[in-house]
Amino acid sequence: MRLKSKPMSRPLQGFALIEVLVSVVILALAALGYAALQLRGLSANSSAMWRSKATVLAYEAADRVRANIPGATAGQYNNLINPAVTSACTLANVCSTTQMATRDFSQWRATVLSALPSGSGVICLDSTADDGTATSPACDGSGTQVAIKVFWSERGVASRFVNVVRP
């Protein structure tokens, strides 16, 4: 009697190839997620950098106001919106409090323009300091606080930082 032999079954082919393909797809999705996370982190760092620069510039302007107390109490810092031509103050030709306020504002405003994207700033008397835009700073000229408003634009979004000084 002859025994019939069973045909030998072949092992499945291509199973390992499907596993590799699935692994590659999962790794690609993970890499895309990591790249998106990195881009979001860079964006947050950029925004924090501009806000930090605006903060430093606002405190620099506050220091300038505090350094000229006679000018601040006389109201020389109450409405500095557009920079004026400054006189050359030297040791021989000492500035008046008005000239010092104008000079402080002109130098500070030039620094803001160069340090921030689309940067601008105003120093004014304002009872509601946390308002306004770069084109309309909303300084009402009343109250007891001098507002230092720094404006800039990053990626088309307008930003503002306000520091209040009570000289």
Side-chain angles (χ1 to χ4, degrees):
M1 177 180 229
R2 231 169 115 181
L3 292 173
K4 276 187 157 181
S5 66
K6 260 180 153 179
M8 289 191 68
S9 62
R10 294 168 116 205
L12 295 175
Q13 292 181 353
F15 184 69
L17 188 59
I18 292 173
E19 285 179 339
V20 169
L21 183 62
V22 168
S23 298
V24 167
V25 168
I26 290 173
L27 283 174
L29 289 174
L32 284 174
Y34 180 74
L37 185 65
Q38 287 294 333
L39 286 175
R40 195 153 175 88
L42 285 173
S43 175
N45 276 346
S46 173
S47 181
M49 178 189 67
W50 296 126
R51 183 158 292 282
S52 294
K53 283 186 177 186
T55 303
V56 168
L57 290 167
Y59 281 106
E60 178 189 333
D63 289 342
R64 288 176 182 253
V65 171
R66 287 188 201 103
N68 187 5
I69 292 294
T73 54
Q76 303 302 323
Y77 291 92
N78 289 357
N79 193 24
L80 296 173
I81 295 176
N82 294 315
V85 177
T86 60
S87 62
C89 300
T90 62
L91 290 175
N93 184 21
V94 180
C95 287
S96 68
T97 57
T98 304
Q99 290 171 326
M100 182 62 75
T102 305
R103 185 168 185 242
D104 284 346
F105 179 68
S106 294
Q107 290 176 345
W108 175 74
R109 178 86 179 247
T111 304
V112 170
L113 286 171
S114 66
L116 295 173
S118 301
S120 68
V122 297
I123 302 174
C124 60
L125 195 62
D126 197 356
S127 62
T128 57
D130 199 21
D131 59 358
T133 63
T135 55
S136 175
C139 295
D140 58 21
S142 65
T144 60
Q145 57 191 11
V146 174
I148 300 164
K149 300 179 181 185
V150 182
F151 304 100
W152 73 98
S153 178
E154 58 179 292
R155 285 184 243 102
V157 177
S159 299
R160 172 185 65 230
F161 180 81
V162 178
N163 187 17
V164 176
V165 179
R166 291 182 180 90

